[in-house]
Amino acid sequence: MEIKVTRAAQLKEKPESSKLVFGKCMTDHMLIIDYDEGQGWHDARIVPYGPLQIDPAAKVLHYAEEIHIGDLAEQIGITPRHLARIMQHSYGCTFRQRLLEIRLYHAREYLTTTQLPISQIAIRCGFTAESAFSAAFRKSVGCTPTQYRNRQES
């Protein structure tokens, strides 16, 4: 598949590798590839970094970024109240509760499949502080992230 490249007019200053943080440092460009049932993956292109248009039927979001119900509702063209009702009907919980469930699910995956420090797992899963992550994890799972990891390893 050919990839069309459109370069950004201005490039950001390259950060030091020690300061790269997953979900926080963005590149100057992004890869977009369209998909539909008839053609499969097609129209691959690298374009300057910018906002994405989200289809209302989209089933995925990047769980590690700061996400607010109003921003998501605006992206898909409905009111925050309507999206809240959809979330309650579909998942039986609020938007924030569902987002927390997704983040903690991925945290458990990181804890069992990697040796990343707890602080890095917290950041990768969208928590702004390790303490907030640990408190949410303990409340949901019943133990600290370290205890959970140790139990999975034994």
Side-chain angles (χ1 to χ4, degrees):
M1 173 184 319
E2 183 180 327
I3 300 176
K4 180 182 175 190
V5 177
T6 305
R7 295 193 181 275
Q10 272 193 308
L11 300 178
K12 300 175 195 165
E13 185 176 322
K14 184 177 177 181
E16 296 176 31
S17 59
S18 64
K19 297 195 180 197
L20 293 175
V21 177
F22 178 80
K24 301 288 183 195
C25 296
M26 303 301 164
T27 65
D28 295 308
H29 297 87
M30 56 190 192
L31 172 68
I32 299 175
I33 307 174
D34 296 328
Y35 177 85
D36 61 57
E37 298 234 2
Q39 294 180 342
W41 294 103
H42 63 94
D43 294 335
R45 59 213 179 271
I46 295 174
V47 299
Y49 178 87
L52 289 174
Q53 181 178 4
I54 299 176
D55 187 305
K59 298 197 189 297
V60 296
L61 287 171
H62 195 302
Y63 62 89
E65 292 185 16
E66 190 170 331
I67 303 169
H68 300 281
I69 192 168
D71 298 333
L72 179 57
E74 183 179 332
Q75 288 292 319
I76 60 177
I78 62 176
T79 66
R81 187 164 185 232
H82 185 63
L83 179 55
R85 285 195 303 265
I86 291 170
M87 294 296 296
Q88 189 66 47
H89 176 75
S90 298
Y91 298 104
C93 61
T94 67
F95 172 80
R96 298 301 284 161
Q97 290 167 327
R98 181 65 179 148
L99 181 59
L100 180 60
E101 287 173 7
I102 292 167
R103 287 175 169 168
L104 292 174
Y105 168 82
H106 287 283
R108 288 191 303 275
E109 289 291 309
Y110 278 121
L111 288 165
T112 57
T113 61
T114 74
Q115 288 302 312
L116 287 170
I118 303 300
S119 60
Q120 282 298 305
I121 292 172
I123 291 168
R124 288 183 181 209
C125 292
F127 293 88
T128 55
E130 183 178 344
S131 59
F133 167 61
S134 293
F137 194 92
R138 179 186 280 270
K139 183 176 180 182
S140 173
V141 180
C143 63
T144 68
T146 301
Q147 291 168 333
Y148 183 86
R149 175 179 271 163
N150 291 341
R151 288 179 190 164
Q152 301 307 310
E153 289 174 350
S154 55

